Amino acid sequence: MDSMNGVIAALSALSNPILVAITFVYAFITYRILVATRRATDLMHRQFEESLRPYIAVDVFVERGSHIFRLRIRNLGKSAAANLRLSLDRDFCQFGNPEHNLRNTYAFRENVATFPPNFELIFDLDVSHQVLGKKAPEVTPTKFKVSWFYTFVDKHYEDSTEVDLETFLDSCANPEPLVDELRGISKSLEKLASAIKDQQRQKVDGRPKLQ
């Protein structure tokens, strides 16, 4: 009986550390699962927020049929940007006129309270050959930076875009609309002249032309 009691006591003493170890492992695994779940939840929340937040895009384009560089600022996101603040790192005088400095326009001088999705601001810069020819680089520089700052869901976002107008050097401009129209008229006249010749040939032959 004493030996049996000793065995039971030994097993009981041995089981305590094993139980503690098992409990520790279980608690550790549970903690890791909770951490992973929280990270996954935070990631999904950030992805959802990123998919909805405003996205400000800045680019320069030359409109079809024009030789004027235009600066375009758009909101490509799905939500409105609040308190949008735009800035330029240097002066840019529209069409070389010092009285029309882009930095002094309302959008660059004041905060834009709300900049909704798909909304855009367009500013004329200058005629392309004037800028690229560097006629007045101090007032119409070929390189400048547009920066912006805005808030969304109590968070602050800021970014910038480097604009390099020299990218347009040696590139082809969109065809003029008038040129396209003239080409269309020319083709129509050619078809009309061909039809008239066919009719005249039919009269001379005295028989209809086979299709």
Side-chain angles (χ1 to χ4, degrees), residues 8-26:
I8 294 174
L11 291 175
S12 177
L14 183 62
S15 64
N16 288 334
I18 296 176
L19 182 60
V20 171
I22 293 174
T23 303
F24 175 80
V25 172
Y26 176 79

Side-chain angles (χ1 to χ4, degrees), residues 1 15 28 32 34 117 126 135 169 180 183 187:
M1 182 64 69
S15 64
F28 178 75
R32 294 297 299 270
L34 289 174
D126 200 350
K135 302 295 183 180
L169 282 171
D180 290 343
R183 288 174 180 172
K187 291 181 179 179

Side-chain angles (χ1 to χ4, degrees), residues 121-139:
L121 296 172
I122 296 178
F123 304 91
D124 287 340
L125 296 179
D126 200 350
V127 181
S128 57
H129 68 267
Q130 292 286 346
V131 179
L132 298 179
K134 298 184 178 180
K135 302 295 183 180
E138 67 282 357
V139 293

